[in-house]
C-alpha cells in the first residue's frame, strides 16, 4: 500500500523538554490511522508538525514519496494536508459557503461557483450540511462538518482530526464515522487523535501508539482490544473496569426546582430545570455541549443570576431545615457553612491562575481564613506536594507556574484541590476531558471515594460510556431543559443519545 505520509526520525524540543524523540511513522493512502498515547506523549505536537503549525528540530517528512518542507498551514494545504482542530475557525455571522470562500485567502471569488463545488463535495461524501445556513445557527456537529468540507474544498487528501467526537452525541458520532469511511473509500488518508478506545476499535484500520514522546509501535485494529491498547500506551497492564459501588443510605442534599438562567443577551440557556441531588451518589449530567450544563452548575454555586421562581434548597448534614441558595453570593454560601466545591469547565479562566505556582493556587481556597498580615504557606505546600505524589502530576516542582504544565496535569491540580476541600456537594465539569486512560481512572477513583464518604457528586461528562458505568443516575439536558432522568444501571447509550436530541425512544425514570 502506497504511503501518503512517512515520518523519518522526527524530533521536536521545547527548551529542555523533548516532546517528540526520533519518531518514524507511516500513513497509507486509503487508511484510517488512530493515534493513541497518554497526556504529554506528544501526539498533538507530532500532528502539528505535519500540519505546519510547528517545525521539526530534526528528521524528515515525506509526502506522497517526496521530501516536504512544511513551514506553515498554507504549505501543508498545498501538499494536500488539512487538520481539523478541536476549536473551530469559523466566522459566526457568515454562511457555510461564505466561510468556505473565506478560507481560500485573498482575492475575489464567485460565491455561486464556491456553492456549487461545495455542494458536489457534500453529495460525494454524504455530508448533512446546509451551505446557506449561518454558522451561529449550526450545531457543534454541523460546524465540524463545515471544517471538514473547508479542507476538502482546498484539495486535502490527508486529513487529521483532533478529538473529533469530544462533544458529539452517539448518533452524531456514527454519522461522522460514516463520512470518514466514505473518505477512506475515495482514497483519502485519515489520522484521528482520540482517547476513546471503543471508537478507536470501531473506526480505524491501524493504531499507532506514542509513549513519553517516543514511538512504541503500531497494531492492526483487528488484532487489538482495549486491554492491549492500554498496556501499549502505559507500558503495563491496566484494569479497565470502572467501579460503581452501591449508594449507602443516600440523603437528599439539594432540591432544585424551576431553575431558569438567561444569558446577558436575554437568551434562555437553562429552562425550568427541576431534580434532586443525593449525598452518597454520583449524579451524571449529560447533554450536547452548550445545552445549559455550565449554567446549571454555576447557578447552584452562586455564580449565575437566576430567574424569578427558581429554588435551590441545600440540606446540610446536621441542619434541621434546608437553606435557600438562590440570592446568595459564592462568599455568602461559603460563610454559611455550605460546602460546595466547583471544578469549572474553563480551568485556567475560572479554576486556576496560570501565572501562579501550585502552592499559590492551593492558597486560593483558604486565603480568607488567615487573620494576620502573613499567610501560612506550609499547609498549601504540603497539599501541593501530596497531590503531585498521589495523582502523579508531572511538574519540575511546586514552584512551577501552572501555565507551564500540560492540560492533563493542570486538570489533576484543579480536581485534586477541589476534592481536598472536603465538600458536601462536589460539582465537576468534564473532569477527564483530554486525560489519558490512566489519569482518567485515577479521577474516577477519587470521585468514588467522595461518594462513599457521603458526598453528593454532580458530574458533567461528555463520554456516555463513562457516565453509564460510573454514575448512579443521569440527568439529560436538551435545549436547556431536563429531557429525562434515568437510572444509569439500566439505561443504554442510544436511549440517552435520543434524550439529548429529543428523538423518540427515551424513557425517563424520575
Amino acid at each position: 500500500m502506497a504511503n501518503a505520509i512517512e515520518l523519518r526520525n522526527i524530533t521536536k524540543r521545547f527548551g529542555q523538554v523533548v516532546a517528540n524523540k526520533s519518531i518514524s511513522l507511516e500513513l497509507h493512502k486509503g487508511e484510517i490511522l488512530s493515534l493513541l498515547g497518554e497526556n504529554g506523549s506528544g501526539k498533538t505536537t507530532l500532528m502539528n508538525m505535519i500540519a505546519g503549525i510547528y517545525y521539526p528540530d530534526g528528521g524528515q517528512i515525506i509526502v506522497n514519496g517526496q521530501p516536504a518542507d512544511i513551514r506553515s498551514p498554507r504549505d501543508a494545504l498545498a501538499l494536500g494536508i488539512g487538520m481539523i482542530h478541536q476549536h473551530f475557525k469559523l466566522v459566526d455571522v457568515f454562511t457555510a459557503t461564505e466561510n468556505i470562500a473565506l478560507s481560500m485567502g485573498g482575492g475575489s471569488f464567485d460565491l455561486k461557483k464556491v456553492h456549487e463545488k461545495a455542494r458536489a463535495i457534500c453529495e460525494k461524501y454524504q455530508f448533512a450540511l446546509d451551505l446557506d445556513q449561518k454558522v451561529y445557527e449550526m450545531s457543534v456537529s454541523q460546524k465540524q462538518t463545515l471544517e471538514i468540507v473547508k479542507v476538502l474544498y482546498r484539495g486535502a487528501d490527508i486529513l487529521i482530526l483532533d478529538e473529533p467526537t469530544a462533544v458529539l452525541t452517539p448518533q452524531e458520532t456514527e454519522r461522522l464515522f460514516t463520512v470518514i469511511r466514505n473518505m477512506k473509500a475515495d482514497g483519502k488518508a485519515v489520522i484521528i487523535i482520540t482517547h476513546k478506545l471503543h471508537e478507536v476499535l470501531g473506526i480505524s484500520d491501524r493504531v499507532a501508539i506514542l509513549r513519553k514522546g517516543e514511538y512504541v509501535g503500531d497494531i492492526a485494529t483487528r488484532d487489538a482490544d482495549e486491554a492491549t491498547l492500554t498496556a501499549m500506551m502505559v507500558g503495563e497492564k491496566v484494569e479497565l473496569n470502572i467501579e460503581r459501588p452501591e449508594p449507602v443510605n443516600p440523603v437528599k442534599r439539594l432540591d432544585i426546582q424551576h431553575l431558569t438562567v438567561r444569558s446577558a443577551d436575554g437568551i434562555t440557556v437553562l429552562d425550568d430545570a427541576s431534580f434532586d441531588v443525593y449525598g452518597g451518589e454520583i449524579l451524571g449530567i449529560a447533554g450536547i455541549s452548550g445545552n445549559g450544563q455550565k449554567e446549571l452548575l454555576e447557578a447552584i454555586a452562586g455564580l449565575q443570576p437566576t430567574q424569578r421562581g427558581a429554588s435551590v434548597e441545600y440540606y446540610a448534614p446536621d441542619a434541621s431545615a434546608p437553606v435557600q441558595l438562590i440570592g446568595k453570593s459564592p462568599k455568602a454560601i461559603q460563610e454559611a457553612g455550605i460546602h460546595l466545591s466547583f471544578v469549572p469547565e474553563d480551568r485556567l479562566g475560572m479554576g486556576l491562575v496560570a501565572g501562579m505556582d501550585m502552592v499559590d493556587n492551593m492558597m486560593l481556597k483558604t486565603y480568607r481564613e488567615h487573620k494576620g498580615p502573613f499567610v501560612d504557606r506550609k499547609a498549601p505546600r504540603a497539599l501541593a506536594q501530596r497531590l503531585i505524589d498521589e495523582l502523579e502530576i508531572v511538574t519540575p516542582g511546586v514552584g512551577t507556574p501552572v501555565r507551564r504544565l500540560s492540560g492533563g496535569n493542570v486538570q489533576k491540580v484543579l480536581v485534586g484541590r477541589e476534592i481536598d476541600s472536603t465538600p458536601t456537594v462536589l460539582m465537576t465539569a468534564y473532569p477527564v476531558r483530554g486525560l489519558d486512560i490512566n489519569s482518567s481512572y485515577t479521577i474516577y477513583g477519587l470521585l468514588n471515594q467522595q461518594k462513599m464518604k457521603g458526598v453528593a457528586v454532580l458530574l458533567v461528562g461528555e463520554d456516555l460510556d463513562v457516565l453509564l458505568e460510573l454514575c448512579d443516575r443521569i440527568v439529560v439536558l436538551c435545549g436547556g431543559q431536563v429531557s429525562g432522568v434515568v437510572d444509569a444501571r439500566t439505561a443504554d447509550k442510544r436511549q440517552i443519545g435520543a434524550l439529548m436530541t429529543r428523538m423518540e425512544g427515551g424513557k425517563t425514570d424520575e
Side-chain angles (χ1 to χ4, degrees):
M1 194 180 292
N3 287 339
I5 290 181
E6 183 183 352
L7 306 181
R8 296 179 182 172
N9 301 314
I10 294 293
T11 297
K12 182 64 182 176
R13 300 180 184 85
F14 296 98
Q16 298 298 312
V17 177
V18 180
N20 292 136
K21 183 178 179 182
S22 193
I23 292 178
S24 296
L25 175 68
E26 295 175 351
L27 171 67
H28 307 139
K29 294 179 180 179
E31 177 185 49
I32 302 170
L33 176 72
S34 286
L35 191 61
L36 275 183
E38 293 188 277
N39 294 107
S41 62
K43 303 183 300 296
T44 301
T45 299
L46 187 65
M47 292 302 100
N48 281 338
M49 283 187 280
I50 296 174
I53 295 167
Y54 295 146
Y55 192 76
D57 296 318
Q60 191 175 38
I61 300 175
I62 312 293
V63 180
N64 294 318
Q66 300 296 317
D69 188 39
I70 307 173
R71 294 183 175 270
S72 70
R74 187 180 294 273
D75 289 345
L77 272 165
L79 290 164
I81 301 167
M83 185 166 178
I84 292 87
H85 301 270
Q86 290 186 63
H87 303 290
F88 307 136
K89 297 173 174 61
L90 300 169
V91 180
D92 278 0
V93 295
F94 284 4
T95 65
T97 301
E98 289 167 342
N99 270 279
I100 293 167
L102 195 64
S103 72
M104 298 301 292
S108 59
F109 38 76
D110 185 334
L111 275 179
K112 186 177 179 181
K113 288 183 177 179
V114 173
H115 189 285
E116 288 175 359
K117 183 179 174 183
R119 187 182 64 190
I121 291 171
C122 290
E123 289 174 355
K124 181 176 183 179
Y125 298 109
Q126 298 178 27
F127 286 112
L129 185 65
D130 180 354
L131 292 168
D132 297 316
Q133 188 177 17
K134 293 189 184 296
V135 169
Y136 68 80
E137 298 172 330
M138 293 182 180
S139 67
V140 175
S141 174
Q142 290 168 322
K143 291 176 183 177
Q144 183 183 67
T145 300
L146 175 54
E147 287 284 17
I148 296 172
V149 173
K150 273 171 53 181
V151 297
L152 290 174
Y153 187 96
R154 297 186 66 175
D157 292 311
I158 301 162
L159 289 92
I160 303 165
L161 290 85
D162 189 3
E163 298 284 356
T165 66
V167 291
L168 302 185
T169 66
Q171 289 85 351
E172 289 171 330
T173 296
E174 194 48 53
R175 283 198 293 273
L176 173 65
F177 285 179
T178 298
V179 166
I180 292 173
R181 291 184 187 106
N182 290 340
M183 292 193 292
K184 169 193 167 179
D186 191 44
K188 306 288 186 189
V190 182
I191 300 177
I192 297 177
I193 302 174
T194 180
H195 286 105
K196 300 178 182 179
L197 297 183
H198 60 281
E199 292 182 357
V200 169
L201 295 170
I203 186 64
S204 62
D205 300 303
R206 192 164 53 97
V207 187
I209 289 135
L210 302 185
R211 189 194 311 149
K212 297 180 180 177
E214 297 188 44
Y215 178 61
V216 174
D218 66 341
I219 184 171
T221 308
R222 63 176 179 272
D223 300 327
D225 56 27
E226 291 196 10
T228 304
L229 296 176
T230 304
M232 290 179 73
M233 273 198 297
V234 302
E236 60 189 49
K237 187 177 180 181
V238 176
E239 279 298 327
L240 290 174
N241 294 321
I242 299 177
E243 292 185 6
R244 176 167 47 195
E246 288 287 337
V248 179
N249 300 322
V251 179
K252 185 185 285 190
R253 286 287 170 251
L254 294 176
D255 184 352
I256 299 165
Q257 297 292 329
H258 309 300
L259 196 58
T260 298
V261 176
R262 292 201 180 110
S263 64
D265 50 6
I267 297 171
T268 300
V269 288
L270 187 66
D271 188 3
D272 198 34
S274 298
F275 57 91
D276 296 328
V277 182
Y278 290 86
E281 78 164 359
I282 297 179
L283 179 66
I285 310 290
I288 302 169
S289 181
N291 271 257
Q293 300 95 314
K294 176 173 175 283
E295 290 78 12
L296 172 64
L297 297 195
E298 289 183 356
I300 297 170
L303 297 168
Q304 280 271 8
T306 57
Q307 298 301 302
R308 185 186 298 275
S311 171
V312 178
E313 290 187 324
Y314 167 68
Y315 293 78
D318 301 318
S320 57
V323 176
Q324 180 59 244
L325 300 191
I326 298 298
K328 292 185 182 296
S329 67
K331 182 179 178 184
I333 289 172
Q334 189 178 37
E335 289 176 346
I338 300 164
H339 303 289
L340 291 178
S341 214
F342 183 41
V343 183
E345 187 175 354
D346 181 5
R347 293 154 195 19
L348 290 180
M350 291 178 62
L352 300 169
V353 177
M356 288 184 176
D357 61 24
M358 278 187 66
V359 177
D360 288 341
N361 271 289
M362 296 304 114
M363 290 173 61
L364 289 176
K365 293 287 287 187
T366 58
Y367 73 93
R368 286 198 187 97
E369 298 171 8
H370 301 286
K371 304 301 181 186
F374 301 104
V375 293
D376 172 25
R377 294 180 63 85
K378 287 184 180 178
R381 179 176 289 274
L383 171 59
Q385 191 58 57
R386 181 159 57 81
L387 292 181
I388 289 172
D389 296 338
E390 290 180 3
L391 302 183
E392 298 180 352
I393 296 170
V394 179
T395 174
V398 295
T400 302
V402 167
R403 68 166 174 264
R404 288 174 54 188
L405 305 185
S406 73
N409 287 303
V410 167
Q411 182 73 335
K412 291 180 186 178
V413 172
L414 182 52
V415 174
R417 185 193 70 185
E418 294 302 313
I419 287 176
D420 188 78
S421 64
T422 59
T424 305
V425 176
L426 172 66
M427 299 191 290
T428 172
Y430 310 109
V432 299
R433 175 180 279 174
L435 290 188
D436 58 69
I437 193 83
N438 242 357
S439 301
S440 297
Y441 275 74
T442 299
I443 298 299
Y444 302 151
L446 291 173
L447 296 180
N448 269 325
Q449 285 176 22
Q450 295 302 299
K451 167 184 167 178
M452 298 309 292
K453 289 178 182 177
V455 174
V457 180
L458 272 79
L459 169 62
V460 175
E462 59 201 0
D463 189 330
L464 292 187
D465 292 283
V466 169
L467 289 179
L468 285 166
E469 285 191 57
L470 181 64
C471 299
D472 299 292
R473 293 184 300 139
I474 300 173
V475 174
V476 186
L477 294 177
C478 178
Q481 297 179 330
V482 175
S483 57
V485 181
V486 302
D487 183 339
R489 285 172 172 77
T490 58
D492 63 47
K493 192 159 70 168
R494 297 199 68 81
Q495 177 189 355
I496 294 177
L499 288 168
M500 287 166 67
T501 53
R502 287 205 187 282
M503 294 167 60
E504 295 300 322
K507 296 178 182 177
T508 66
D509 174 28
E510 280 285 5

